[in-house]
Amino acid sequence: MQALDEILLEKCKTAKRVVAITGAGISAESGIPTFRGKDGYWKNYRAEDLANNQAFENNPKLIWEWYQMRMAICRKAEPNPGHLAMAEMESIFPEFHLITQNVDNLHNRAGSKNITELHGNIFTSRCTKCTFKTIQESDNFTLPPLCPKCNSILRPHILWFGETYDIKVLEKCREILNAADILLIVGTSGQVTVPVYLAEEAIRAGAYSIDINPEKSSLSQKVSIHLRGYSAKILPDLIMQLTEIR
Ligand code: APR
Ligand code: ZN
């Protein structure tokens, strides 16, 4: 087990409000490719070329094929020790909130309860015309799926590039981030404006900030400490050391 920085442990010992922001890297060790890593391409498309409304309008079947393939990967994947550690944090700190950019459902399956899924959930679909929303229980459905209420095309309930975040969700995130004693940033490259802005909000407000990533990200130099490594290793180590001191 890697011994962690003393200041970090001291901060964790007294912290009351802790917020984590996670990205694709926390699910890498569950076998889910990250967006911007070498396996992030599909049929030579980048995620940005597929996860947008224009691409969906041009070719809904193609975009659905991509989601169907990813749904199958996410369904087969299992939460890793990093996800389990995140769920455990809820019983370690008096207040713990998880904000994830991931849509893979693995934090829920690991047992986290206090979660905001900033970009949606891959298993939920919604109608492009009416208010119908559904959970896809299997990955074998005809493409594109149609709304049982109005027969329009369904779309993944995911926040795509160029789309607006729910203002109420953002306000709630800002509120908890502003009050945070500790901010944990895990497995994100910091390439998407809003999550970066949210993380910076907590840093500006004085939270002690920890970045866990095997590489330096756009956020690594802004945080109090960058822990270089894999979240499936560092987060359980952190939990072990925290349970000894708290
Ligand atoms: N542990 C921790 N971090 C890891 C690990 C690991 N085992 N493996 C990879 N990483 C890091 C990478 O170094 C990289 O910095 O995870 C990060 C993944 O970055 P991205 O693929 O860009 O994913 P993310 O930051 O979550 O992307 C944000 O962009 O495509 C959109 O909406 C999508 O939510 C997504 C958003
Ligand atoms: Zn409908």
Side-chain angles (χ1 to χ4, degrees):
M1 185 169 64
Q2 185 190 338
L4 293 167
D5 181 272
E6 266 175 39
I7 299 174
L8 180 153
L9 288 175
E10 192 52 38
K11 295 278 179 191
C12 288
K13 194 172 168 182
T14 50
K16 290 198 172 60
R17 300 186 186 96
V18 179
V19 184
I21 298 182
T22 63
I26 196 169
S27 297
E29 279 140 298
S30 295
I32 300 178
T34 57
F35 288 95
R36 295 174 182 82
K38 61 173 171 39
D39 299 322
Y41 284 79
W42 178 70
K43 295 188 176 175
N44 283 334
Y45 297 103
R46 293 175 313 149
E48 288 89 336
D49 301 330
L50 299 162
N52 71 77
N53 194 49
Q54 195 55 52
F56 184 72
E57 282 186 0
N58 292 345
N59 195 343
K61 199 160 169 272
L62 175 82
I63 304 308
W64 264 117
E65 264 178 50
W66 183 53
Y67 277 100
Q68 207 171 35
M69 175 277 295
R70 289 177 53 211
M71 259 187 212
I73 294 176
C74 295
R75 216 184 287 275
K76 275 198 213 107
E78 291 296 331
N80 68 50
H83 297 106
L84 298 173
M86 278 295 171
E88 254 185 82
M89 302 249 177
E90 290 184 9
S91 52
I92 291 182
F93 298 107
E95 276 181 42
F96 183 79
H97 199 111
L98 176 59
I99 299 171
T100 187
Q101 300 169 76
N102 300 347
V103 299
D104 56 30
N105 208 33
L106 289 179
H107 281 304
N108 293 301
R109 286 173 57 202
S112 281
K113 297 277 178 283
N114 212 3
I115 314 184
T116 301
E117 290 176 312
L118 215 46
H119 294 161
N121 186 303
I122 198 159
F123 297 110
T124 310
S125 309
R126 69 170 190 263
C127 179
T128 49
K129 291 270 150 49
C130 76
T131 55
F132 180 78
K133 217 190 225 184
T134 187
I135 292 175
Q136 302 287 1
E137 302 287 359
S138 119
D139 309 317
N140 294 320
F141 48 90
T142 335
L143 297 183
L146 299 178
C147 174
K149 291 241 169 86
C150 75
N151 217 37
S152 306
I153 290 182
L154 296 183
R155 61 164 274 178
H157 186 53
I158 302 261
L159 188 93
W160 283 337
F161 288 100
E163 295 184 325
T164 323
Y165 287 75
D166 181 330
I167 193 82
K168 285 205 188 101
V169 172
L170 284 191
E171 278 309 312
K172 185 185 156 208
C173 288
R174 292 186 60 200
E175 202 178 301
I176 56 167
L177 284 159
N178 266 300
D181 301 318
I182 292 185
L183 171 69
L184 267 168
I185 302 166
V186 185
T188 182
S189 61
Q191 302 286 311
V192 177
T193 318
V194 171
V196 169
Y197 175 79
L198 289 175
E200 285 172 348
E201 179 119 356
I203 297 170
R204 267 196 303 273
Y208 180 79
S209 49
I210 307 162
D211 176 42
I212 300 176
N213 198 314
E215 318 222 340
K216 283 218 160 96
S217 79
S218 74
L219 283 160
S220 304
Q221 68 266 41
K222 297 180 183 163
V223 293
S224 318
I225 186 166
H226 172 224
L227 301 180
R228 188 157 183 259
Y230 301 116
S231 48
K233 169 83 179 67
I234 295 180
L235 287 170
D237 279 359
L238 180 60
I239 292 284
M240 286 254 263
Q241 290 173 57
L242 287 184
T243 39
E244 279 166 22
I245 57 170
R246 281 192 70 108

